Amino acid sequence: MNCTKQMACIIVLTISVLTMGGCVVSKKDYMVKVEESQSLSSELAALRSDHERLKKEKEALEKQVAELQTTKSDLAEAKSELELETVSLGKEIAILREDNLQLEEILKSKSDTLSKNIVDLRGHVADLKKENALLKEKNEDLENKTRALTADNTNLQERIAALQEKADAIERQRKEEILQMRGTYESLLENMKSEIDKGEITITQLNGKLKVNMLDEILFDSGKTTIKSQGLEVLERVGKVLLNVEDRAISIEGHTDDVPIGPELKKKYATNWELSAARATTVARYLQEKIGIDPKILSGTGYGEYQPVASNETEEGRAKNRRIEIVLIPKEIVPVSRK
């Protein structure tokens, strides 16, 4: 009989005894008993609850025991496996120890080699530092030279720009002069058409120079230095055109053939050189005094027989060599001999 049934029986038995004994129970005693009975009922209920709880705990413990038994079996099996693995690992450890010894020997050998390499490398680094210092010094020199070259280049660029500007100005002036020379050339062609057609005068324009070539027979009589009337008329027409020329020097050049001066003429002119110079000077003076050309741009030069334009073996050639040339040249160009 469990505890609950026992308690119930006790309560019933107590009540029965009180009744059967014929004892008269006071109301007070009765109420006490009732309260005790109720208290016992409560305790009975609590005992029942504890009983159910303990029952469940027992079942849980029994389940845990069963699980522990299973775990124990598994652990035993695992232990056997671990023991086998331990034996196997022991063998592997022995092999690894042997390998480790070999690796230590290899490592020592490589460490020695590495130490030697480090020593060599330190020496190499020291050399590189020296080279780097030298390179740095050279680089500073190069930078200084570069700055100097940059400054020189800037100055050069400025000079080039200035020279280019000057060249542009000269080119503009040259073009203007060419146009002016062209106008002078055309004016001379127009004014000297008759003489040009007769072959007495030739007019050429080349390399910025304009040249009027006049045979001496239209200007001078043989062996003379006085300009004859026909020559004065020709020079007047030429001079009026030249009067309008700007930024040009006018060179008067006298030329002769190679026939020596005769005895009478030699008393005045020692050679053809002096004769050619006198004729050139006479023409220059005429252009200054009669035409009004500024003497600062005039010059007279005698070349004698030494710059022929034709052969002196024939009369025709000698006639071409006896000539006066009026040459227009840039002011900065000094007259030089030309063939």
Side-chain angles (χ1 to χ4, degrees):
M1 184 179 295
N2 56 35
C3 294
T4 303
K5 290 180 179 181
Q6 288 178 353
M7 289 299 295
C9 290
I10 292 169
I11 294 169
V12 173
L13 180 59
T14 302
I15 294 172
S16 298
V17 171
L18 292 172
T19 303
M20 290 176 60
C23 297
V24 179
V25 181
S26 66
K27 184 177 180 179
K28 181 179 179 181
D29 293 334
Y30 176 77
M31 291 305 293
V32 171
K33 297 297 182 183
V34 170
E35 287 177 1
E36 290 178 354
S37 177
Q38 289 176 349
S39 177
L40 290 171
S41 295
S42 297
E43 290 178 2
L44 179 62
L47 288 171
R48 284 177 178 173
S49 177
D50 290 340
H51 176 74
E52 289 297 327
R53 180 177 58 76
L54 290 172
K55 184 180 178 180
K56 290 180 179 179
E57 289 179 358
K58 178 184 178 184
E59 291 174 354
L61 287 172
E62 289 174 350
K63 184 178 180 180
Q64 288 180 2
V65 169
E67 290 176 352
L68 288 171
Q69 290 293 335
T70 302
T71 301
K72 180 180 180 182
S73 176
D74 292 340
L75 289 173
E77 184 178 352
K79 179 182 179 183
S80 297
E81 293 177 354
L82 285 172
E83 289 175 350
L84 292 174
E85 289 181 2
T86 300
V87 174
S88 177
L89 287 173
K91 294 179 180 179
E92 292 181 3
I93 287 171
I95 294 172
L96 289 174
R97 284 177 178 172
E98 185 177 352
D99 292 343
N100 185 57
L101 291 174
Q102 294 177 356
L103 288 174
E104 286 180 353
E105 292 178 358
I106 294 172
L107 180 61
K108 185 178 182 304
S109 175
K110 290 187 176 180
S111 177
D112 293 340
T113 303
L114 182 59
S115 297
K116 183 178 180 301
N117 291 339
I118 289 173
V119 172
D120 294 340
L121 182 60
R122 286 175 179 171
H124 185 57
V125 168
D127 293 339
L128 287 176
K129 286 182 178 179
K130 292 179 181 178
E131 291 181 6
N132 184 58
L134 293 174
L135 288 174
K136 185 177 180 181
E137 185 178 350
K138 289 181 179 179
N139 185 58
E140 291 176 353
D141 291 340
L142 287 174
E143 288 179 352
N144 293 332
K145 289 180 180 179
T146 299
R147 284 192 290 268
L149 288 174
T150 301
D152 291 343
N153 184 60
T154 301
N155 294 334
L156 183 60
Q157 291 296 329
E158 292 175 354
R159 290 179 60 191
I160 290 173
L163 289 173
Q164 183 62 48
E165 184 178 354
K166 185 176 180 180
D168 293 341
I170 292 174
E171 179 63 17
R172 288 192 297 271
Q173 181 181 357
R174 187 186 69 82
K175 289 181 180 179
E176 292 173 359
E177 291 173 352
I178 288 174
L179 290 175
Q180 184 187 60
M181 291 288 285
R182 183 68 181 175
T184 303
Y185 174 73
E186 291 176 352
S187 295
L188 288 170
L189 288 179
E190 182 178 353
N191 282 278
M192 302 291 108
K193 188 176 185 303
S194 174
E195 287 77 6
I196 292 172
D197 291 341
K198 293 177 182 178
E200 296 173 339
I201 292 178
T202 58
I203 302 173
T204 58
Q205 183 180 7
L206 183 65
N207 296 328
K209 296 180 182 181
L210 189 149
K211 180 168 66 176
V212 180
N213 186 340
M214 295 181 287
L215 298 182
D216 70 340
E217 62 185 25
I218 65 173
L219 295 176
F220 304 100
D221 290 326
S222 178
K224 304 294 183 180
T225 57
T226 301
I227 304 173
K228 59 185 182 180
S229 58
Q230 179 189 359
L232 292 174
E233 190 270 333
V234 170
L235 279 179
E236 183 179 4
R237 280 186 284 140
V238 172
K240 287 181 178 179
V241 174
L242 299 182
L243 187 62
N244 297 318
V245 173
E246 297 178 357
D247 298 323
R248 280 289 185 275
I250 301 174
S251 175
I252 315 301
E253 301 176 355
H255 299 270
T256 68
D257 56 24
D258 64 349
V259 177
I261 289 180
E264 289 298 322
L265 187 59
K266 198 169 185 178
K267 294 177 182 179
K268 190 173 184 180
Y269 303 108
T271 66
N272 285 323
W273 218 337
E274 286 80 4
L275 176 62
S276 65
R279 287 178 172 179
T281 303
T282 299
V283 173
R285 286 184 58 199
Y286 176 83
L287 293 176
Q288 173 200 355
E289 296 171 358
K290 303 299 181 182
I291 305 300
I293 295 177
D294 187 354
K296 293 179 180 178
I297 65 172
L298 287 170
S299 64
T301 307
Y303 290 99
E305 62 205 65
Y306 301 108
Q307 291 187 10
V309 293
S311 172
N312 282 305
E313 298 298 322
T314 64
E315 179 56 36
E316 183 181 359
R318 287 191 294 273
K320 289 181 179 180
N321 289 332
R322 296 189 299 271
R323 67 196 188 278
I324 292 292
E325 292 183 353
I326 301 176
V327 185
L328 274 66
I329 56 177
K331 283 186 177 181
E332 64 272 16
I333 296 179
V334 178
V336 295
S337 62
R338 300 179 317 282
K339 293 184 179 181

